[in-house]
Structure formats: C-alpha cells, structure tokens
Amino acid sequence: MKFSTKKTLVAAIALTAVAGPFAASSALADDGEPSPWLVRVRMLDVQTQQGNDAGTVHVPGAVPVGADSIKVANRTQPEIDVSYFITHNISAELVASYPLSHQVQSSGKYIGGFQELPPILNLQYHFDGMGNFVPYVGAGVMYMRTMNVSLDGGALGLQQNNWGEDVQLGADYKLDSHWLLNADIKKTWVNVGLDNSTGGTILQLHPDPYILGVGVGYRF
C-alpha cells in the first residue's frame, strides 16, 4: 500500500495522539483538571458514496458490471468511543464498533454483502469560551478490515486490509461535571480493492462514507 503525502501527515498526527497520553498524564493532574478519560456511546448513520474507479468487472458466465454502478448500502448502528485528554484542549479519540454489515448493489440490483470492522483514531482540538457548549475538530487514520464477503455468488471478493484517513467536526454539551450530549460528523476516505475469483484486484472501490453520530458521554 502506498500512502500519499496527505495520508502520511494524518498518520503522524494519529501516532502522536497515541504517544501523548503517556507523556502528559502528570501535567493534567497538576493543573487540577477532571479525569482525562471520556467515554461516549453514539448512534451512527454511515452514508457511503459511489465514486469508484472507472472500469468494468468481467466475471465468467456473468453480465459485465460497470464499476460506477456498484454501491455499498448505508448503515445505522451504535458505537462506543474512548477519548484521552492530553491537555485541557487536546485529546486522542479511539472509535470502536462491532462489525458493520453492508449490502452491495449493482445498478440497483442486490449482488451480495460483507462485514467490515472500522476503528478510527483521531487527534482532536476542543475550543473554549462557549460555556457548556464545547465544539471540536479532529483528524486521523481509519483501518477497515473486511470479512464474510459474499459477492456475485463468490465470484468477487474484497481486499481484507484497507487504510484511509478522516476529518471530524463535532460538539459536546455539558449537562454537569460528568455527563454530556454529543453530535459528531466524520468524512472518511478509503479505497477497497475489488478482487476476482483468482485473487487479483480488478479495480478500487471508494465507499468514502460520511459518518454522522449523536449520543451521550461520561467524563470520569
């Protein structure tokens, strides 16, 4: 896999997010901040796009399928994420979920489905000065692992390990010193190789989902 310059920069940010908590935990305690740990539970609406590479899928004994006609269905599902505040304003967020199941269509016709596990690691900046309303922005890396793929009767498969990046905009509203409400939107970019029965990649699919979430959080 080749990272673009953009992907490399985002990956560096995310790696900083992983290392930061171990270097900054004592600083938070000295400043009298609340616990650096925040857990949120959200309901997600995963809205996939249809921007695949140009090309045609040729499967023996089947009608050729245009890549631009392949669409991964949207999905609604709960998730849990954990944030660690490196400083008062900067946090690292890990978004976890159980596998999401997607249906796949070609020209509006169902051709099978697959599951994917999409953890996301983001570095975030939280803004001050708006009372209980705390907006934030973030960016990071996404790993999409596909599994249980069944497309076109087994004639087509998907690349198993896929990497991408995302950007994020969200806001928390503090109900008290622990509980908060949250709304969040992420835009992700990820390429997934579409394989034939011999394991060779035919072309790249770009589901590039928008991920919209609303939920509640608890700051320990």
Side-chain angles (χ1 to χ4, degrees):
M1 182 199 71
K2 294 183 179 179
F3 271 106
S4 64
T5 301
K6 178 181 176 183
K7 288 183 178 180
T8 302
L9 289 173
V10 173
I13 291 172
L15 289 173
T16 302
V18 175
F22 300 100
S25 58
S26 60
L28 279 169
D30 293 341
D31 292 341
E33 291 280 354
S35 165
W37 294 101
L38 168 62
V39 176
R40 300 186 188 90
V41 177
R42 288 188 281 226
M43 180 61 70
L44 301 183
D45 183 17
V46 181
Q47 299 185 1
T48 60
Q49 309 304 300
Q50 191 169 338
N52 308 318
D53 288 351
T56 303
V57 179
H58 295 276
V59 179
V63 176
V65 174
D68 58 356
S69 72
I70 298 175
K71 174 70 165 64
V72 178
N74 298 339
R75 175 74 182 181
T76 300
Q77 182 164 325
E79 62 90 10
I80 185 169
D81 60 85
V82 179
S83 295
Y84 186 96
F85 280 78
I86 303 167
T87 70
H88 176 74
N89 298 100
I90 299 174
S91 68
E93 178 193 61
L94 178 63
V95 180
S97 174
Y98 60 88
L100 282 73
S101 297
H102 291 281
Q103 294 184 346
V104 180
Q105 297 179 344
S106 175
S107 300
K109 180 181 178 181
Y110 173 76
I111 62 170
F114 69 96
Q115 290 184 312
E116 52 111 348
L117 190 64
I120 298 174
L121 179 63
N122 281 342
L123 186 67
Q124 301 173 328
Y125 185 86
H126 301 254
F127 296 90
D128 288 329
M130 302 182 195
N132 290 344
F133 181 71
V134 184
Y136 57 87
V137 294
V141 292
M142 174 186 187
Y143 169 67
M144 178 187 287
R145 181 178 178 85
T146 63
M147 60 195 79
N148 299 325
V149 179
S150 177
L151 298 176
D152 207 1
L156 296 175
L158 293 175
Q159 182 176 309
Q160 189 174 62
N161 300 303
N162 310 278
W163 292 88
E165 66 270 358
D166 81 297
V167 293
Q168 174 186 37
L169 175 65
D172 293 318
Y173 185 83
K174 298 178 182 179
L175 300 176
D176 56 32
S177 59
H178 294 288
W179 291 98
L180 54 87
L181 301 177
N182 175 262
D184 183 281
I185 181 171
K186 299 178 183 71
K187 170 59 179 175
T188 65
W189 293 269
V190 61
N191 300 332
V192 181
L194 184 68
D195 302 336
N196 58 22
S197 57
T198 64
T201 298
I202 304 171
L203 49 82
Q204 294 288 327
L205 303 181
H206 307 291
D208 295 347
Y210 286 94
I211 304 175
L212 293 78
V214 292
V216 297
Y218 187 84
R219 182 81 177 260
F220 291 90

